[in-house]
Amino acid sequence: MKKTNTLRLTISALLTAIAIVIPMVMPVRVVLEPASFTLASHVPIFLAMFFSPGIAVAVSIGSAVGFLLASFPIVIVLRALSHVVFAYIGAKILYNRREEILSSPAKSTVFSIGIGVLHGGAEMLIVSLFFFGILPGTAYTEGFFYVVFLLVGVGTIVHSMVDFLLAQFIWKSMGDRVLNISKKIQN
């Protein structure tokens, strides 16, 4: 039992560290406030989802800390914090069906689209709170459809799907090694 807890803690710490560092050092990023697209920023979260819901939540919180430490605007930091929602739900879905979903191109595409929509919806909710002045801090001159729906909603779905594909590629390239680790964590 102790060995599994140490392994779980180690995987969580490594993925969280990567999630914190990515927004701080990644040179490929586009910021069109309230939207921001930092290449691979969701990859550690998706990898964590492939392990367990608890690891996914921890890494999502770490990612939000990374955006905070990188001095992103508060709306972007809160959007990053909303990743806890899609990470937890996605990890729960994957927990007993990971191999079935990740090994099937059709099932993994459907999963990626579904998680992307959930991801985009959570971020749209956060931005809507700022857009309508419920949370103070930013005033947007463009319309709701453009700012919230297109920039944040659709942009997040596309960004999420790209990062899921990257995470899936990394996961599959690690082969049996990562599968053995994940089985130890889940048992």
Side-chain angles (χ1 to χ4, degrees), residues 34 74-76 78-79 125-140:
I74 193 66
V75 64
I76 294 173
L78 291 176
R79 282 181 45 227
L125 178 63
I126 295 296
V127 174
S128 293
L129 295 174
F130 284 91
F131 188 89
F132 293 117
I134 296 168
L135 291 177
T138 308
Y140 300 109

Side-chain angles (χ1 to χ4, degrees), residues 29 43 64 75 90 113 125 136 157 164 166-167 181:
R29 66 174 144 190
V43 171
V75 64
I113 291 168
L125 178 63
I157 292 169
F164 178 81
L166 289 171
I181 291 170

Side-chain angles (χ1 to χ4, degrees), residues 78-160:
L78 291 176
R79 282 181 45 227
L81 187 59
S82 78
H83 294 165
V84 170
V85 174
F86 87 81
Y88 179 76
I89 293 171
K92 287 297 270 186
I93 292 168
L94 288 172
Y95 194 70
N96 291 318
R97 299 179 54 209
R98 181 186 59 237
E99 292 312 310
E100 173 191 342
I101 292 171
L102 296 182
S103 64
S104 165
K107 289 180 182 181
S108 65
T109 300
V110 169
F111 178 81
S112 180
I113 291 168
I115 287 299
V117 169
L118 181 61
H119 182 175
E123 291 197 13
M124 286 172 54
L125 178 63
I126 295 296
V127 174
S128 293
L129 295 174
F130 284 91
F131 188 89
F132 293 117
I134 296 168
L135 291 177
T138 308
Y140 300 109
T141 56
E142 296 88 3
F144 181 84
F145 181 78
Y146 174 73
V147 170
V148 177
F149 186 76
L150 288 180
L151 271 183
V152 176
V154 174
T156 297
I157 292 169
V158 172
H159 184 200
S160 180

